[in-house]
């Protein structure tokens, strides 16, 4: 049901350019559940009336969640909010014939929540002229005997994962303040709109583009999608959630330091170490399961371009590059410290100059497509690493994302669950907080073809560090 904002509808029009960096290449919706355990405070703070009212208040300062995509004459795209024509978010409520303890006993399995209609159909996020899907969709489920599940999804082009969870946390703070009759909650920095385009749109036209991004105007978007997508039956895809303790990650990092592969002054981050460990075992599982032939692999990581480009680190919009590292078969079969070093060294390539040249090339190529009559140029670009016909494994480490910051007044969520549909792409979220509020584990969302998943679960080196906590 579309929300009725009444007098809380944002009054000022807002516009944000989408085509100027890689943001337009993430045309999908990102879903997530947050589960709140039963208790008296849940009944007090998380009633339908309270959640609806506080959501309306929270949305008042987030006009882009009422936005619509606008395709301009030059075929560039912006996200536009017009108070006269808002694209209203949706909010639904239901009661499920399921107890909280039953869901908990199943590891908070996403599939069980889906069986009880606790989620919403995930729409196609592809930008079109007649696109009219809400930017934000919410569904709240009350369990038999107490407890609540909050399902949210946002259009990634409008609000990426960090922005979505920052918004949910902002909504939760508004809910708390309204209960105690305090009306004002400051908008967090991560939800503020930039005044200008993130990446400078220059007239520079580099002769060659980056190896990480491809463009093709000779084929239709459907032909491109087919050519870079491995045809696999849905029934043969497995999605599991594994947990790794932060203490185990520290031991892996120390193992790299003690291995002797690092020269004086060299270092590796925890993310480098985790990426190497994940990539090595995912690649080995795919080859041992005979999903892919033996050979070298491409390892890619989501890299936020704001820091190397000297852009503000807070606010909506995070231009992403999929940073690549190529690993030989022998490197994947050997001890992982060397691979961790290789991954760390590969990131050095992504300087501000390299990234600006990459965006200049992409913008120049985009303009040429538009000038040459290509009707939907935004559908002709793709990250080369996302070609599932090739041997590639991706890691998106979002260990600091505020997925557990939503306290509506009844405490933080006991557990959160998302859905990762893409094989060989691992998403890393923080695990649930301890009683002290810290995180002592990370959750790895791993999606593989069934033979590879079975090989991964049978891998003693993987199982000694990562424990299976939920199957999709």
């Amino acid at each position: 049901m579309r929300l009725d904002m009444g007098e809380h509808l944002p009054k000022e029009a807002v516009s944000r350019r989408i085509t100027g960096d890689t943001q337009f290449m993430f045309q999908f919706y990102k879903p997530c559940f947050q589960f709140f355990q039963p208790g008296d405070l849940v009944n007090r703070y998380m009633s339908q009336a309270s959640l609806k009212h506080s959501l309306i208040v929270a949305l008042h300062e987030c006009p882009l969640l009422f936005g619509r995509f606008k395709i301009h004459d030059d075929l560039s795209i912006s996200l536009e909010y017009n108070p006269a024509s808002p694209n209203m978010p949706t909010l639904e409520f239901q009661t499920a014939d399921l107890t909280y303890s039953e869901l908990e006993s199943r590891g908070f399995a996403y599939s069980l929540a889906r069986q009880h209609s606790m989620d919403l159909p995930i729409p196609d996020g592809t930008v079109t002229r007649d696109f009219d899907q809400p930017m934000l969709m919410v569904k709240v489920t009350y369990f038999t005997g107490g407890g609540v599940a909050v399902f949210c999804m946002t259009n990634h082009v409008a609000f990426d994962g960090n922005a979505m969870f920052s918004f949910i946390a902002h909504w939760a703070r508004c809910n708390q303040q309204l209960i105690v009759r305090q009306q004002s909650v400051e908008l967090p920095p991560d939800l503020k709109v930039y005044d200008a385009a993130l990446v400078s749109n220059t007239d520079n036209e580099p002769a060659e583009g980056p190896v990480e991004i491809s463009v093709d105007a000779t084929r239709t978007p459907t032909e491109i999608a087919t050519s870079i997508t491995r045809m696999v039956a849905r029934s043969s895809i497995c999605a599991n959630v594994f947990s790794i303790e932060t203490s185990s990650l520290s031991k892996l990092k120390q193992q790299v330091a003690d291995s002797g592969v690092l020269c004086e002054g060299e270092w590796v981050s925890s993310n480098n170490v985790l990426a190497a460990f994940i990539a090595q075992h995912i690649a080995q599982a795919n080859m041992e399961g005979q999903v892919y032939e033996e050979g070298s692999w491409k390892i890619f990581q989501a890299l936020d371009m704001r820091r190397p480009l000297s852009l503000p680190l807070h606010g909506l919009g995070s231009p992403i590059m999929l940073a690549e590292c190529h690993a030989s078969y022998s490197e994947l079969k050997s001890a992982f410290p060397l691979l961790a070093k290789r991954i760390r060294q590969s990131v050095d390539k992504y300087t501000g100059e390299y990234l600006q040249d990459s965006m200049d090339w992409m913008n120049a190529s985009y303009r040429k497509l538009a000038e040459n009559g290509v009707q939907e140029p935004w559908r002709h670009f793709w990250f080369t690493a996302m070609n599932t016909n090739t041997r590639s494994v991706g890691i998106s480490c979002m260990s600091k994302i505020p997925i557990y910051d939503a306290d509506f007044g009844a405490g933080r969520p006991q557990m959160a669950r998302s859905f990762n549909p893409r094989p060989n792409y691992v998403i890393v979220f923080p695990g649930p907080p301890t009683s002290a509020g810290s995180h002592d584990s990370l959750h790895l969302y791993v999606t593989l073809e069934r033979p590879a998943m079975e090989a991964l679960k049978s891998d003693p080196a993987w199982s000694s560090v990562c424990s299976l906590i939920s199957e999709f």
Side-chain angles (χ1 to χ4, degrees):
M1 178 182 294
R2 299 270 184 165
L3 274 175
D4 181 0
M5 291 290 294
E7 63 181 13
H8 288 283
L9 188 69
K11 301 295 190 294
E12 301 295 327
V14 174
S15 174
R16 187 170 60 130
R17 186 167 175 250
I18 299 300
T19 45
D21 54 63
T22 57
Q23 192 170 357
F24 73 93
M25 297 172 68
F26 295 88
Q27 298 174 45
F28 57 86
Y29 279 81
K30 188 66 179 175
C32 183
F33 280 106
Q34 292 171 315
F35 300 104
F36 299 84
Q37 57 189 340
D40 292 339
L41 291 177
V42 167
N43 299 331
R44 177 187 175 192
Y45 282 92
M46 300 187 73
S47 68
Q48 291 191 28
S50 176
L51 291 179
K52 181 178 180 180
H53 185 197
S54 57
L55 179 58
I56 290 172
V57 171
L59 282 166
H60 176 69
E61 292 188 276
C62 297
L64 287 180
L65 286 177
F66 300 89
R68 299 181 187 276
F69 291 122
K70 181 177 180 179
I71 301 171
H72 300 271
D73 291 341
D74 62 357
L75 297 186
S76 63
I77 303 171
S78 61
L79 183 60
E80 305 277 341
Y81 167 62
N82 181 353
S85 180
N87 182 11
M88 292 295 192
T90 65
L91 173 63
E92 298 182 20
F93 294 96
Q94 73 159 11
T95 299
D97 184 20
L98 177 73
T99 66
Y100 189 88
S101 60
E102 288 173 329
L103 183 65
E104 185 177 18
S105 68
R106 287 278 300 275
F108 297 95
Y110 195 107
S111 58
L112 181 58
R114 176 173 285 179
Q115 289 173 20
H116 288 268
S117 302
M118 293 161 57
D119 65 341
L120 293 165
I122 302 175
D124 183 356
T126 304
V127 176
T128 60
R129 291 187 180 278
D130 58 353
F131 188 95
D132 198 38
Q133 295 287 346
M135 294 294 134
L136 167 69
M137 287 172 268
V138 181
K139 188 171 187 177
V140 179
T141 298
Y142 297 92
F143 293 99
T144 301
V148 177
V150 177
F151 174 85
C152 288
M153 62 179 165
T154 55
N155 187 304
H156 197 286
V157 175
F159 267 46
D160 62 13
N162 184 70
M164 180 176 78
F165 292 117
S166 294
F167 173 76
I168 299 171
H170 175 59
W171 170 23
R173 286 191 293 272
C174 289
N175 189 75
Q176 282 200 52
Q177 295 302 315
L178 286 168
I179 293 292
V180 298
R181 303 186 188 284
Q182 295 181 13
Q183 298 297 318
S184 177
V185 177
E186 184 178 356
L187 190 71
D190 284 341
L191 295 180
K192 294 182 179 178
V193 182
Y194 284 110
D195 293 331
L198 283 174
V199 179
S200 301
N201 187 12
T202 71
D203 294 327
N204 183 32
E205 296 189 14
E208 296 183 0
V211 297
E212 296 84 0
I213 301 176
S214 293
V215 61
D216 187 350
T218 66
R219 294 180 291 174
T220 67
T222 300
E223 290 171 338
I224 293 172
T226 300
S227 70
I228 64 174
T229 304
R230 179 180 167 89
M231 302 308 294
V232 181
R234 181 176 297 182
S235 60
S236 68
I237 297 295
C238 295
N240 291 339
V241 184
F242 295 87
S243 178
I244 178 172
E245 295 183 359
T246 53
S247 59
S248 296
L249 181 56
S250 296
K251 291 177 182 178
L252 289 174
K253 188 175 180 181
Q254 189 61 46
Q255 184 178 334
V256 176
D258 294 341
S259 68
V261 302
L262 300 177
C263 299
E264 185 177 353
E266 289 186 326
W267 57 276
V268 292
S269 69
S270 296
N271 284 354
N272 300 147
V273 171
L274 183 59
F277 180 80
I278 292 173
Q280 183 182 53
H281 290 279
I282 295 294
Q284 289 179 355
N286 272 287
M287 292 185 288
E288 291 173 10
Q290 299 183 344
V291 176
Y292 292 89
E293 295 180 351
E294 293 182 351
S296 61
W297 279 67
K298 182 185 296 182
I299 302 168
F300 63 96
Q301 302 176 81
L303 172 72
D304 189 333
M305 293 193 287
R306 289 180 293 185
R307 189 178 298 278
L309 286 171
S310 300
L311 297 169
L313 299 180
H314 295 287
L316 289 174
S318 53
I320 298 295
M321 176 63 80
L322 296 188
E324 295 183 3
C325 173
H326 294 262
S328 67
Y329 177 73
S330 61
E331 287 175 324
L332 290 166
K333 296 295 289 184
S334 63
F336 87 96
L338 179 60
L339 187 57
K341 175 180 177 177
R342 291 264 291 103
I343 288 175
R344 170 67 188 88
Q345 290 174 332
S346 70
V347 177
D348 292 339
K349 163 186 173 181
Y350 297 94
T351 63
E353 181 180 4
Y354 180 85
L355 294 172
Q356 184 64 62
D357 283 347
S358 299
M359 296 302 97
D360 288 345
W361 170 85
M362 190 181 72
N363 283 314
S365 300
Y366 193 102
R367 289 193 299 270
K368 289 177 182 177
L369 262 62
E371 291 167 358
N372 291 331
V374 176
Q375 292 302 305
E376 296 179 316
W378 58 89
R379 298 183 65 188
H380 289 262
F381 291 81
W382 71 95
F383 288 108
T384 56
M386 301 296 271
N387 184 346
T388 54
N389 287 313
T390 62
R391 292 185 296 270
S392 63
V393 54
I395 300 98
S396 181
C397 192
M398 297 186 285
S399 58
K400 299 185 183 301
I401 203 164
I403 191 171
Y404 286 98
D405 285 7
D407 183 354
F408 290 87
R412 295 182 177 189
Q414 180 184 2
M415 190 61 68
R417 282 286 179 267
S418 187
F419 173 48
N420 172 26
R422 191 172 190 86
N424 297 325
Y425 188 57
V426 179
I427 299 175
V428 181
F429 281 154
T434 64
S435 57
S438 61
H439 297 273
D440 58 9
S441 67
L442 299 173
H443 284 180
L444 316 179
Y445 288 75
V446 181
T447 302
L448 300 173
E449 292 184 40
R450 191 173 301 279
M453 185 65 79
E454 293 304 318
L456 182 68
K457 291 193 291 186
S458 300
D459 180 350
W462 174 268
S463 299
S464 67
V465 176
C466 300
S467 56
L468 177 65
I469 58 172
S470 180
E471 297 182 346
F472 180 82

